[in-house]
Amino acid sequence: MISKVYTLPAGTEPTADIVSGLITGSQRKECLELYERLYAYYMSEAVASREAPHQLLAITNHARYIVKTNVGYLLGNPATYLAAENVDIEPLLTVYRKQTISNLDVENATDTSIFGHAFERVYVNKDAETRSTRIDPRNIILVYDDTVQHEKMFAIIYQPSVNEKGEIVRDAYDMTILTPTIAMERKLKDGILSGDEEVPHSFGEVPVVEYLNSSDRVGDFEPVISLLDAYNILQSDRVIDRERLVDAILAFYGMDLGKEDQEDLKESRTIAGVPSDAKIEYIVKNINEADADVLRSAILADIHKISMTPDMSDQNFAGNSSGVALQYKLLAFEQHVKDKERYFENALIDRFRLYNGVLASVKKMRTIEPSEIDIVFRRALPQNDLEVSQMINNLMDIVDRETLVSRLSFVQDAKETVKLAQEEQEKSLKLGNYGINKADEPDDQTDSDDPLDEE
Protein backbone atom coordinates (compact mmCIF):
# COMPACT_ATOMS: atom_id res chain seq x y z
CA MET A 1 0.00 0.00 0.00
CA ILE A 2 1.24 3.49 -0.86
CA SER A 3 2.00 5.58 2.22
CA LYS A 4 0.18 8.91 2.25
CA VAL A 5 1.87 10.21 5.40
CA TYR A 6 5.27 11.95 5.43
CA THR A 7 7.55 11.70 8.47
CA LEU A 8 11.03 13.08 9.08
CA PRO A 9 13.29 13.21 12.15
CA ALA A 10 12.16 15.72 14.77
CA GLY A 11 13.75 19.13 14.30
CA THR A 12 14.16 18.82 10.51
CA GLU A 13 14.04 22.24 8.81
CA PRO A 14 12.43 22.81 5.37
CA THR A 15 15.70 23.40 3.51
CA ALA A 16 16.02 23.36 -0.29
CA ASP A 17 17.24 19.75 -0.30
CA ILE A 18 14.46 18.58 2.00
CA VAL A 19 11.71 20.40 0.10
CA SER A 20 13.01 19.30 -3.30
CA GLY A 21 13.33 15.71 -2.11
CA LEU A 22 9.77 15.65 -0.78
CA ILE A 23 8.23 17.07 -3.96
CA THR A 24 10.21 15.01 -6.48
CA GLY A 25 10.73 11.83 -4.43
CA SER A 26 9.35 8.40 -5.31
CA GLN A 27 6.81 8.47 -2.48
CA ARG A 28 5.29 11.68 -3.79
CA LYS A 29 5.20 10.39 -7.37
CA GLU A 30 3.36 7.25 -6.26
CA CYS A 31 0.91 9.31 -4.20
CA LEU A 32 0.18 11.65 -7.09
CA GLU A 33 -0.41 8.73 -9.45
CA LEU A 34 -2.87 7.25 -6.95
CA TYR A 35 -4.59 10.61 -6.39
CA GLU A 36 -5.03 11.14 -10.13
CA ARG A 37 -6.41 7.64 -10.56
CA LEU A 38 -8.90 8.06 -7.71
CA TYR A 39 -10.04 11.43 -9.03
CA ALA A 40 -10.44 9.97 -12.52
CA TYR A 41 -12.80 7.31 -11.16
CA TYR A 42 -14.77 9.97 -9.27
CA MET A 43 -15.09 12.05 -12.47
CA SER A 44 -15.99 9.04 -14.71
CA GLU A 45 -12.69 9.38 -16.57
CA ALA A 46 -11.20 6.03 -15.55
CA VAL A 47 -10.36 3.53 -18.27
CA ALA A 48 -10.04 -0.08 -17.22
CA SER A 49 -7.30 -2.16 -18.77
CA ARG A 50 -6.42 -5.81 -19.18
CA GLU A 51 -3.34 -7.31 -20.73
CA ALA A 52 -4.82 -6.09 -24.03
CA PRO A 53 -6.36 -2.61 -24.24
CA HIS A 54 -10.08 -2.64 -23.52
CA GLN A 55 -12.52 0.01 -24.63
CA LEU A 56 -15.10 1.17 -22.10
CA LEU A 57 -18.31 2.36 -23.72
CA ALA A 58 -20.48 2.32 -20.59
CA ILE A 59 -19.13 3.71 -17.31
CA THR A 60 -21.44 3.44 -14.32
CA ASN A 61 -20.06 5.93 -11.81
CA HIS A 62 -20.42 3.95 -8.59
CA ALA A 63 -17.38 5.82 -7.21
CA ARG A 64 -19.30 9.10 -7.23
CA TYR A 65 -22.38 7.40 -5.79
CA ILE A 66 -20.35 6.00 -2.90
CA VAL A 67 -18.74 9.38 -2.16
CA LYS A 68 -21.97 11.38 -2.33
CA THR A 69 -23.88 8.86 -0.21
CA ASN A 70 -21.23 8.81 2.53
CA VAL A 71 -20.78 12.58 2.60
CA GLY A 72 -24.51 13.25 2.52
CA TYR A 73 -25.17 10.81 5.34
CA LEU A 74 -22.41 12.32 7.48
CA LEU A 75 -22.94 16.04 6.77
CA GLY A 76 -26.32 16.37 5.08
CA ASN A 77 -27.18 18.19 8.30
CA PRO A 78 -24.28 20.50 9.30
CA ALA A 79 -22.30 19.61 12.41
CA THR A 80 -23.34 21.62 15.47
CA TYR A 81 -21.26 22.74 18.44
CA LEU A 82 -22.45 22.44 22.03
CA ALA A 83 -20.54 24.00 24.94
CA ALA A 84 -20.45 23.17 28.61
CA GLU A 85 -22.37 25.38 31.03
CA ASN A 86 -20.95 28.90 31.40
CA VAL A 87 -18.71 28.38 28.34
CA ASP A 88 -19.25 31.02 25.66
CA ILE A 89 -18.24 29.93 22.16
CA GLU A 90 -20.50 32.39 20.33
CA PRO A 91 -17.60 34.63 19.12
CA LEU A 92 -16.01 31.63 17.42
CA LEU A 93 -19.29 30.38 15.96
CA THR A 94 -19.91 33.87 14.58
CA VAL A 95 -16.61 33.65 12.69
CA TYR A 96 -17.67 30.23 11.38
CA ARG A 97 -21.04 31.52 10.21
CA LYS A 98 -19.53 34.54 8.42
CA GLN A 99 -17.63 32.22 6.08
CA THR A 100 -20.32 29.49 5.90
CA ILE A 101 -17.97 26.92 7.36
CA SER A 102 -20.47 24.08 6.73
CA ASN A 103 -19.77 24.33 2.98
CA LEU A 104 -16.07 23.88 3.66
CA ASP A 105 -16.86 20.86 5.83
CA VAL A 106 -18.62 19.21 2.88
CA GLU A 107 -15.64 19.93 0.60
CA ASN A 108 -13.25 18.40 3.13
CA ALA A 109 -15.51 15.38 3.65
CA THR A 110 -15.64 14.86 -0.12
CA ASP A 111 -11.84 14.92 -0.34
CA THR A 112 -11.52 12.43 2.52
CA SER A 113 -13.99 10.12 0.80
CA ILE A 114 -12.12 10.30 -2.53
CA PHE A 115 -8.45 10.52 -1.50
CA GLY A 116 -8.55 9.09 2.03
CA HIS A 117 -7.64 12.41 3.63
CA ALA A 118 -8.14 16.15 3.16
CA PHE A 119 -6.33 19.35 4.10
CA GLU A 120 -7.45 22.75 5.29
CA ARG A 121 -5.30 25.83 5.78
CA VAL A 122 -6.24 28.31 8.52
CA TYR A 123 -5.04 31.87 8.01
CA VAL A 124 -5.71 35.50 8.95
CA ASN A 125 -6.90 37.70 6.08
CA LYS A 126 -6.10 41.35 5.42
CA ASP A 127 -9.00 42.42 7.65
CA ALA A 128 -7.46 40.50 10.60
CA GLU A 129 -10.22 37.87 10.40
CA THR A 130 -9.49 34.16 10.83
CA ARG A 131 -10.47 32.12 7.79
CA SER A 132 -10.10 28.61 6.36
CA THR A 133 -9.62 27.28 2.86
CA ARG A 134 -9.51 23.81 1.34
CA ILE A 135 -6.18 22.64 -0.08
CA ASP A 136 -6.19 19.94 -2.75
CA PRO A 137 -4.25 16.89 -1.47
CA ARG A 138 -2.35 16.92 -4.77
CA ASN A 139 -0.90 20.34 -3.90
CA ILE A 140 0.21 19.92 -0.30
CA ILE A 141 2.69 17.89 1.74
CA LEU A 142 2.22 17.92 5.52
CA VAL A 143 5.31 16.64 7.34
CA TYR A 144 5.14 15.05 10.80
CA ASP A 145 8.05 14.23 13.11
CA ASP A 146 9.00 10.63 13.80
CA THR A 147 8.19 10.72 17.51
CA VAL A 148 5.35 8.77 19.07
CA GLN A 149 3.25 11.95 19.12
CA HIS A 150 3.76 12.69 15.39
CA GLU A 151 3.69 16.46 15.80
CA LYS A 152 3.28 18.63 12.71
CA MET A 153 6.65 20.15 11.72
CA PHE A 154 5.89 22.03 8.52
CA ALA A 155 3.64 22.03 5.46
CA ILE A 156 4.46 22.71 1.79
CA ILE A 157 1.65 24.08 -0.38
CA TYR A 158 2.89 24.17 -3.97
CA GLN A 159 1.93 24.33 -7.63
CA PRO A 160 3.91 24.35 -10.89
CA SER A 161 5.27 27.73 -11.95
CA VAL A 162 4.04 29.31 -15.19
CA ASN A 163 5.73 31.88 -17.41
CA GLU A 164 4.31 35.03 -19.00
CA LYS A 165 2.65 32.93 -21.74
CA GLY A 166 0.86 30.75 -19.22
CA GLU A 167 3.08 27.77 -19.98
CA ILE A 168 4.23 25.46 -17.19
CA VAL A 169 7.91 25.84 -16.39
CA ARG A 170 9.62 22.48 -16.05
CA ASP A 171 10.98 21.60 -12.57
CA ALA A 172 9.84 24.94 -11.12
CA TYR A 173 7.29 25.45 -8.34
CA ASP A 174 5.69 28.36 -6.49
CA MET A 175 5.14 27.44 -2.86
CA THR A 176 4.17 28.50 0.61
CA ILE A 177 6.04 26.84 3.47
CA LEU A 178 4.22 26.91 6.80
CA THR A 179 6.03 26.32 10.09
CA PRO A 180 4.71 26.70 13.67
CA THR A 181 5.75 30.39 13.65
CA ILE A 182 5.98 31.78 10.10
CA ALA A 183 4.59 31.51 6.56
CA MET A 184 7.28 31.69 3.87
CA GLU A 185 6.70 32.42 0.18
CA ARG A 186 9.31 30.64 -1.94
CA LYS A 187 10.14 29.48 -5.47
CA LEU A 188 11.85 26.16 -6.18
CA LYS A 189 13.79 25.86 -9.43
CA ASP A 190 16.21 23.03 -10.18
CA GLY A 191 16.45 22.18 -6.46
CA ILE A 192 17.21 25.77 -5.38
CA LEU A 193 14.89 27.78 -3.12
CA SER A 194 14.61 31.51 -3.72
CA GLY A 195 12.64 34.33 -2.13
CA ASP A 196 12.75 35.91 1.30
CA GLU A 197 9.15 36.94 2.02
CA GLU A 198 8.17 35.78 5.49
CA VAL A 199 5.08 36.59 7.55
CA PRO A 200 4.88 35.55 11.22
CA HIS A 201 1.63 34.08 12.53
CA SER A 202 0.21 33.58 16.01
CA PHE A 203 -1.31 30.11 15.72
CA GLY A 204 1.45 28.46 17.74
CA GLU A 205 1.51 25.42 15.43
CA VAL A 206 1.46 24.61 11.74
CA PRO A 207 -1.90 26.13 10.68
CA VAL A 208 -2.95 23.14 8.58
CA VAL A 209 -5.64 20.64 9.58
CA GLU A 210 -5.58 17.12 8.15
CA TYR A 211 -8.91 15.30 7.92
CA LEU A 212 -8.65 11.50 7.89
CA ASN A 213 -11.13 9.06 6.42
CA SER A 214 -9.61 6.21 8.41
CA SER A 215 -6.38 5.44 10.23
CA ASP A 216 -4.82 4.10 7.02
CA ARG A 217 -6.04 7.06 4.91
CA VAL A 218 -7.99 4.88 2.44
CA GLY A 219 -10.86 6.40 0.47
CA ASP A 220 -14.38 5.01 0.49
CA PHE A 221 -14.29 3.44 -2.99
CA GLU A 222 -10.55 2.70 -3.10
CA PRO A 223 -10.98 -0.93 -1.88
CA VAL A 224 -13.48 -1.74 -4.66
CA ILE A 225 -11.68 -0.30 -7.69
CA SER A 226 -11.19 -3.77 -9.21
CA LEU A 227 -14.91 -4.44 -8.82
CA LEU A 228 -15.73 -1.10 -10.45
CA ASP A 229 -13.52 -2.10 -13.38
CA ALA A 230 -15.17 -5.53 -13.63
CA TYR A 231 -18.66 -3.99 -13.61
CA ASN A 232 -17.82 -1.42 -16.28
CA ILE A 233 -16.06 -4.00 -18.47
CA LEU A 234 -19.09 -6.30 -18.26
CA GLN A 235 -21.51 -3.52 -19.12
CA SER A 236 -19.30 -2.32 -21.97
CA ASP A 237 -19.01 -5.83 -23.39
CA ARG A 238 -22.79 -6.09 -23.42
CA VAL A 239 -23.05 -2.81 -25.31
CA ILE A 240 -20.37 -3.93 -27.78
CA ASP A 241 -22.19 -7.24 -28.32
CA ARG A 242 -25.36 -5.32 -29.13
CA GLU A 243 -23.50 -3.15 -31.61
CA ARG A 244 -22.06 -6.23 -33.28
CA LEU A 245 -25.52 -7.76 -33.42
CA VAL A 246 -26.76 -4.76 -35.40
CA ASP A 247 -23.76 -5.06 -37.74
CA ALA A 248 -23.98 -8.85 -38.01
CA ILE A 249 -22.78 -10.55 -41.22
CA LEU A 250 -25.54 -11.71 -43.58
CA ALA A 251 -24.63 -15.12 -45.03
CA PHE A 252 -26.10 -16.56 -48.27
CA TYR A 253 -26.09 -20.32 -48.85
CA GLY A 254 -26.71 -21.85 -52.29
CA MET A 255 -26.67 -18.59 -54.23
CA ASP A 256 -24.41 -15.77 -55.37
CA LEU A 257 -25.08 -12.09 -54.79
CA GLY A 258 -23.63 -9.64 -57.28
CA LYS A 259 -22.42 -6.15 -56.46
CA GLU A 260 -25.56 -4.57 -57.89
CA ASP A 261 -27.76 -6.89 -55.84
CA GLN A 262 -25.76 -6.00 -52.70
CA GLU A 263 -26.39 -2.30 -53.28
CA ASP A 264 -30.12 -2.95 -53.78
CA LEU A 265 -30.22 -5.03 -50.61
CA LYS A 266 -28.50 -2.30 -48.61
CA GLU A 267 -30.89 0.35 -49.95
CA SER A 268 -34.26 -1.43 -49.95
CA ARG A 269 -33.54 -4.03 -47.24
CA THR A 270 -35.24 -6.65 -49.44
CA ILE A 271 -34.05 -9.24 -51.93
CA ALA A 272 -35.87 -11.10 -54.70
CA GLY A 273 -35.16 -14.14 -56.80
CA VAL A 274 -33.90 -16.38 -54.03
CA PRO A 275 -33.63 -20.04 -55.19
CA SER A 276 -35.82 -22.52 -53.37
CA ASP A 277 -32.82 -24.48 -52.10
CA ALA A 278 -30.95 -21.37 -50.90
CA LYS A 279 -30.74 -20.10 -47.31
CA ILE A 280 -30.07 -16.67 -45.87
CA GLU A 281 -29.16 -15.99 -42.18
CA TYR A 282 -27.16 -13.68 -39.94
CA ILE A 283 -23.96 -14.95 -38.36
CA VAL A 284 -24.18 -13.81 -34.72
CA LYS A 285 -22.75 -14.77 -31.37
CA ASN A 286 -25.28 -16.27 -28.99
CA ILE A 287 -25.69 -13.94 -26.01
CA ASN A 288 -26.91 -15.33 -22.70
CA GLU A 289 -28.37 -12.21 -21.11
CA ALA A 290 -29.59 -14.10 -18.04
CA ASP A 291 -26.09 -15.25 -17.10
CA ALA A 292 -24.65 -11.81 -17.77
CA ASP A 293 -27.28 -10.19 -15.55
CA VAL A 294 -26.60 -12.64 -12.72
CA LEU A 295 -22.90 -11.74 -12.90
CA ARG A 296 -23.72 -8.03 -13.02
CA SER A 297 -25.93 -8.30 -9.93
CA ALA A 298 -23.27 -10.27 -8.06
CA ILE A 299 -20.57 -7.69 -8.82
CA LEU A 300 -22.93 -4.84 -7.86
CA ALA A 301 -23.76 -6.51 -4.55
CA ASP A 302 -20.05 -6.93 -3.79
CA ILE A 303 -19.38 -3.26 -4.58
CA HIS A 304 -21.96 -2.15 -2.04
CA LYS A 305 -20.96 -4.78 0.51
CA ILE A 306 -17.21 -4.13 0.48
CA SER A 307 -17.60 -0.34 0.36
CA MET A 308 -20.26 -0.64 3.11
CA THR A 309 -22.50 1.73 1.15
CA PRO A 310 -26.13 0.59 0.74
CA ASP A 311 -27.89 0.46 -2.60
CA MET A 312 -30.86 2.74 -1.94
CA SER A 313 -32.62 1.49 -5.08
CA ASP A 314 -32.66 -2.04 -3.68
CA GLN A 315 -36.09 -3.46 -2.88
CA ASN A 316 -34.89 -4.12 0.69
CA PHE A 317 -35.42 -0.40 1.31
CA ALA A 318 -39.12 -0.53 0.57
CA GLY A 319 -41.18 2.29 2.01
CA ASN A 320 -43.21 -0.02 4.25
CA SER A 321 -40.17 -1.23 6.23
CA SER A 322 -40.15 -0.32 9.91
CA GLY A 323 -37.58 2.06 11.36
CA VAL A 324 -35.83 -0.73 13.26
CA ALA A 325 -35.71 -2.90 10.13
CA LEU A 326 -34.14 -0.10 8.12
CA GLN A 327 -31.61 0.58 10.88
CA TYR A 328 -30.61 -3.07 10.86
CA LYS A 329 -30.11 -2.97 7.07
CA LEU A 330 -27.99 0.16 7.51
CA LEU A 331 -25.94 -1.29 10.38
CA ALA A 332 -22.68 -1.78 8.44
CA PHE A 333 -23.08 1.62 6.78
CA GLU A 334 -23.79 3.29 10.11
CA GLN A 335 -20.71 1.72 11.74
CA HIS A 336 -18.59 2.82 8.77
CA VAL A 337 -19.84 6.41 8.97
CA LYS A 338 -19.33 6.46 12.74
CA ASP A 339 -15.67 5.63 12.15
CA LYS A 340 -15.49 8.48 9.62
CA GLU A 341 -17.25 10.75 12.11
CA ARG A 342 -14.68 10.12 14.87
CA TYR A 343 -11.77 11.09 12.63
CA PHE A 344 -13.66 14.06 11.21
CA GLU A 345 -14.50 15.26 14.71
CA ASN A 346 -10.82 15.15 15.68
CA ALA A 347 -10.02 17.45 12.75
CA LEU A 348 -12.86 19.84 13.65
CA ILE A 349 -11.47 20.06 17.19
CA ASP A 350 -8.02 20.89 15.74
CA ARG A 351 -9.59 23.68 13.70
CA PHE A 352 -11.55 24.88 16.76
CA ARG A 353 -8.30 25.06 18.72
CA LEU A 354 -6.59 27.14 16.02
CA TYR A 355 -9.48 29.61 15.84
CA ASN A 356 -9.81 29.74 19.62
CA GLY A 357 -6.10 30.52 20.01
CA VAL A 358 -6.32 33.54 17.73
CA LEU A 359 -9.52 34.87 19.31
CA ALA A 360 -8.11 34.35 22.80
CA SER A 361 -4.95 36.28 21.88
CA VAL A 362 -7.07 39.35 21.04
CA LYS A 363 -9.25 38.94 24.17
CA LYS A 364 -12.46 38.10 22.27
CA MET A 365 -12.91 34.85 24.19
CA ARG A 366 -11.08 32.73 26.69
CA THR A 367 -9.04 29.64 25.91
CA ILE A 368 -11.39 26.65 25.78
CA GLU A 369 -10.37 23.04 26.32
CA PRO A 370 -11.65 20.42 23.83
CA SER A 371 -13.37 18.64 26.72
CA GLU A 372 -15.61 21.70 27.16
CA ILE A 373 -17.24 21.37 23.74
CA ASP A 374 -19.18 18.65 22.01
CA ILE A 375 -19.58 18.35 18.24
CA VAL A 376 -22.87 16.77 17.21
CA PHE A 377 -23.50 15.04 13.87
CA ARG A 378 -27.10 14.38 12.90
CA ARG A 379 -27.79 11.78 10.25
CA ALA A 380 -29.49 12.94 7.06
CA LEU A 381 -32.25 10.32 7.14
CA PRO A 382 -36.05 10.59 7.34
CA GLN A 383 -36.86 10.98 11.02
CA ASN A 384 -39.94 10.02 13.02
CA ASP A 385 -40.21 13.21 15.08
CA LEU A 386 -43.29 11.92 16.92
CA GLU A 387 -41.29 8.98 18.20
CA VAL A 388 -38.38 11.28 19.09
CA SER A 389 -40.70 13.65 20.97
CA GLN A 390 -41.99 10.73 23.04
CA MET A 391 -38.40 9.78 23.84
CA ILE A 392 -37.71 13.38 24.89
CA ASN A 393 -40.66 13.36 27.28
CA ASN A 394 -39.50 10.08 28.81
CA LEU A 395 -35.96 11.40 29.36
CA MET A 396 -36.83 14.96 30.40
CA ASP A 397 -35.63 14.59 34.01
CA ILE A 398 -32.67 12.40 33.12
CA VAL A 399 -30.93 14.13 30.17
CA ASP A 400 -30.39 17.89 29.74
CA ARG A 401 -32.84 19.69 27.47
CA GLU A 402 -30.26 20.91 24.97
CA THR A 403 -29.14 17.37 24.19
CA LEU A 404 -32.72 16.14 23.89
CA VAL A 405 -33.86 18.99 21.65
CA SER A 406 -30.85 18.47 19.36
CA ARG A 407 -32.36 15.08 18.40
CA LEU A 408 -35.28 16.74 16.59
CA SER A 409 -34.71 16.85 12.84
CA PHE A 410 -36.16 20.34 12.36
CA VAL A 411 -34.01 21.98 15.06
CA GLN A 412 -30.88 23.66 13.71
CA ASP A 413 -29.53 25.25 16.91
CA ALA A 414 -30.53 23.34 20.05
CA LYS A 415 -29.06 25.92 22.43
CA GLU A 416 -30.96 28.78 20.80
CA THR A 417 -34.17 26.72 20.66
CA VAL A 418 -34.03 25.93 24.40
CA LYS A 419 -33.32 29.59 25.15
CA LEU A 420 -36.32 30.78 23.12
CA ALA A 421 -38.57 28.17 24.72
CA GLN A 422 -37.56 29.35 28.20
CA GLU A 423 -38.22 32.98 27.24
CA GLU A 424 -41.68 32.10 25.94
CA GLN A 425 -42.42 30.14 29.10
CA GLU A 426 -41.40 33.10 31.27
CA LYS A 427 -43.66 35.42 29.27
CA SER A 428 -46.55 33.01 29.69
CA LEU A 429 -46.01 32.87 33.45
CA LYS A 430 -46.09 36.65 33.64
CA LEU A 431 -49.42 36.74 31.82
CA GLY A 432 -50.99 34.15 34.06
CA ASN A 433 -51.37 30.44 34.25
CA TYR A 434 -49.50 29.43 31.09
CA GLY A 435 -51.13 31.87 28.69
CA ILE A 436 -54.35 33.05 30.44
CA ASN A 437 -54.26 36.84 30.42
CA LYS A 438 -55.35 38.42 33.70
CA ALA A 439 -57.08 41.14 31.71
CA ASP A 440 -59.59 38.51 30.63
CA GLU A 441 -60.51 37.59 34.23
CA PRO A 442 -63.67 39.14 35.91
CA ASP A 443 -63.04 42.58 37.41
CA ASP A 444 -63.92 42.78 41.13
CA GLN A 445 -64.85 46.48 40.71
CA THR A 446 -67.59 45.92 38.12
CA ASP A 447 -71.22 46.44 39.05
CA SER A 448 -73.18 43.41 40.12
CA ASP A 449 -76.82 42.64 39.60
CA ASP A 450 -77.00 40.66 42.83
CA PRO A 451 -79.30 42.55 45.26
CA LEU A 452 -77.23 41.30 48.18
CA ASP A 453 -74.25 43.29 46.89
CA GLU A 454 -76.34 46.49 47.05
CA GLU A 455 -76.88 46.02 50.74
Side-chain angles (χ1 to χ4, degrees):
M1 180 181 292
I2 297 172
S3 175
K4 299 176 184 176
V5 61
Y6 298 84
T7 57
L8 289 174
T12 301
E13 296 293 332
T15 62
D17 290 341
I18 294 296
V19 172
S20 179
L22 287 170
I23 293 177
T24 62
S26 60
Q27 180 183 355
R28 188 59 180 172
K29 290 179 181 178
E30 291 177 352
C31 279
L32 289 176
E33 288 176 0
L34 176 59
Y35 289 151
E36 293 296 343
R37 187 183 182 205
L38 293 173
Y39 190 71
Y41 276 88
Y42 177 71
M43 297 299 293
S44 295
E45 298 172 356
V47 178
S49 62
R50 303 173 182 169
E51 293 182 0
H54 187 85
Q55 183 182 13
L56 286 183
L57 297 180
I59 297 179
T60 304
N61 199 340
H62 285 109
R64 196 178 191 90
Y65 174 86
I66 291 169
V67 169
K68 292 297 185 181
T69 303
N70 278 271
V71 173
Y73 191 62
L74 176 64
L75 291 174
N77 295 314
T80 56
Y81 297 78
L82 303 178
E85 190 175 356
N86 300 324
V87 175
D88 184 17
I89 62 173
E90 189 57 32
L92 191 150
L93 296 182
T94 299
V95 177
Y96 278 2
R97 285 192 288 267
K98 286 184 68 175
Q99 58 182 311
T100 319
I101 205 76
S102 59
N103 290 344
L104 180 62
D105 289 344
V106 172
E107 292 177 8
N108 288 327
T110 301
D111 276 352
T112 62
S113 187
I114 297 172
F115 302 109
H117 58 166
F119 297 91
E120 171 187 329
R121 179 186 175 184
V122 183
Y123 64 99
V124 177
N125 65 14
K126 60 182 180 180
D127 297 322
E129 297 172 325
T130 310
R131 291 289 183 267
S132 290
T133 185
R134 165 190 171 268
I135 304 295
D136 193 308
R138 293 167 290 185
N139 297 116
I140 183 172
I141 297 175
L142 179 59
V143 181
Y144 295 89
D145 64 31
D146 59 357
T147 65
V148 293
Q149 292 182 324
H150 290 294
E151 298 286 347
K152 292 179 287 188
M153 291 198 300
F154 59 87
I156 307 168
I157 302 173
Y158 69 98
Q159 59 184 1
S161 298
V162 295
N163 57 24
E164 296 80 2
K165 298 180 180 179
E167 301 169 339
I168 295 178
V169 180
R170 184 178 179 183
D171 297 329
Y173 303 92
D174 298 325
M175 62 182 60
T176 300
I177 301 175
L178 301 170
T179 72
T181 57
I182 59 175
M184 301 180 288
E185 300 297 328
R186 296 288 187 268
K187 289 184 178 293
L188 180 68
K189 181 71 168 70
D190 297 327
I192 299 175
L193 277 178
S194 61
D196 56 4
E197 183 180 346
E198 297 183 359
V199 179
H201 63 76
S202 58
F203 291 104
E205 61 179 281
V206 178
V208 171
V209 179
E210 182 181 15
Y211 293 76
L212 303 184
N213 196 55
S214 60
S215 59
D216 49 10
R217 294 172 171 82
V218 172
D220 287 326
F221 64 84
E222 194 172 337
V224 296
I225 283 181
S226 60
L227 292 173
L228 301 182
D229 287 342
Y231 188 95
N232 289 328
I233 288 173
L234 176 62
Q235 292 293 80
S236 297
D237 284 347
R238 296 173 75 178
V239 173
I240 292 171
D241 286 342
R242 286 298 175 186
E243 287 185 341
R244 289 173 177 170
L245 182 62
V246 173
D247 297 329
I249 297 173
L250 187 61
F252 295 83
Y253 302 91
M255 64 177 291
D256 291 328
L257 199 65
K259 190 170 183 179
E260 187 175 340
D261 293 332
Q262 293 178 19
E263 293 296 331
D264 290 341
L265 176 61
K266 186 181 295 185
E267 175 128 0
S268 63
R269 313 299 296 174
T270 59
I271 187 171
V274 179
S276 59
D277 58 345
K279 183 175 72 169
I280 304 174
E281 66 179 8
Y282 283 103
I283 300 177
V284 297
K285 180 175 68 174
N286 291 328
I287 302 174
N288 192 329
E289 285 291 346
D291 289 348
D293 199 57
V294 168
L295 178 58
R296 182 196 65 82
S297 299
I299 295 174
L300 182 60
D302 285 344
I303 288 173
H304 289 288
K305 179 180 179 180
I306 302 303
S307 68
M308 289 179 280
T309 304
D311 182 0
M312 296 301 180
S313 64
D314 190 275
Q315 60 182 351
N316 290 328
F317 291 94
N320 58 355
S321 299
S322 67
V324 175
L326 286 175
Q327 289 178 3
Y328 180 76
K329 292 167 186 173
L330 291 171
L331 180 60
F333 183 46
E334 176 67 28
Q335 294 301 320
H336 172 60
V337 174
K338 279 186 177 180
D339 289 339
K340 291 166 60 72
E341 178 186 307
R342 281 190 284 268
Y343 288 104
F344 204 85
E345 183 179 8
N346 289 339
L348 293 182
I349 290 174
D350 286 345
R351 176 213 281 164
F352 187 97
R353 188 181 64 252
L354 288 169
Y355 274 69
N356 180 225
V358 174
L359 293 173
S361 67
V362 295
K363 309 300 182 183
K364 290 188 176 180
M365 66 186 300
R366 71 171 179 85
T367 301
I368 297 173
E369 296 297 327
S371 58
E372 296 180 283
I373 63 168
D374 186 22
I375 303 175
V376 178
F377 296 84
R378 291 178 297 137
R379 299 290 182 256
L381 277 178
Q383 298 291 330
N384 186 344
D385 286 320
L386 175 61
E387 182 179 312
V388 174
S389 66
Q390 294 171 345
M391 176 198 70
I392 290 175
N393 287 330
N394 293 335
L395 299 176
M396 185 58 72
D397 297 327
I398 301 174
V399 182
D400 65 280
R401 290 190 176 186
E402 193 171 326
T403 300
L404 292 174
V405 170
S406 67
R407 307 305 301 173
L408 293 169
S409 64
F410 54 83
V411 173
Q412 298 296 325
D413 188 336
K415 188 173 184 177
E416 182 67 17
T417 300
V418 171
K419 180 181 176 182
L420 291 174
Q422 289 175 342
E423 290 175 356
E424 289 186 0
Q425 186 176 3
E426 290 172 359
K427 288 180 181 179
S428 297
L429 289 172
K430 288 180 181 180
L431 292 174
N433 293 327
Y434 293 92
I436 301 177
N437 196 327
K438 290 185 177 181
D440 297 331
E441 295 180 357
D443 189 352
D444 293 339
Q445 303 300 322
T446 57
D447 294 337
S448 175
D449 295 332
D450 193 337
L452 295 175
D453 292 340
E454 295 180 357
E455 296 181 1

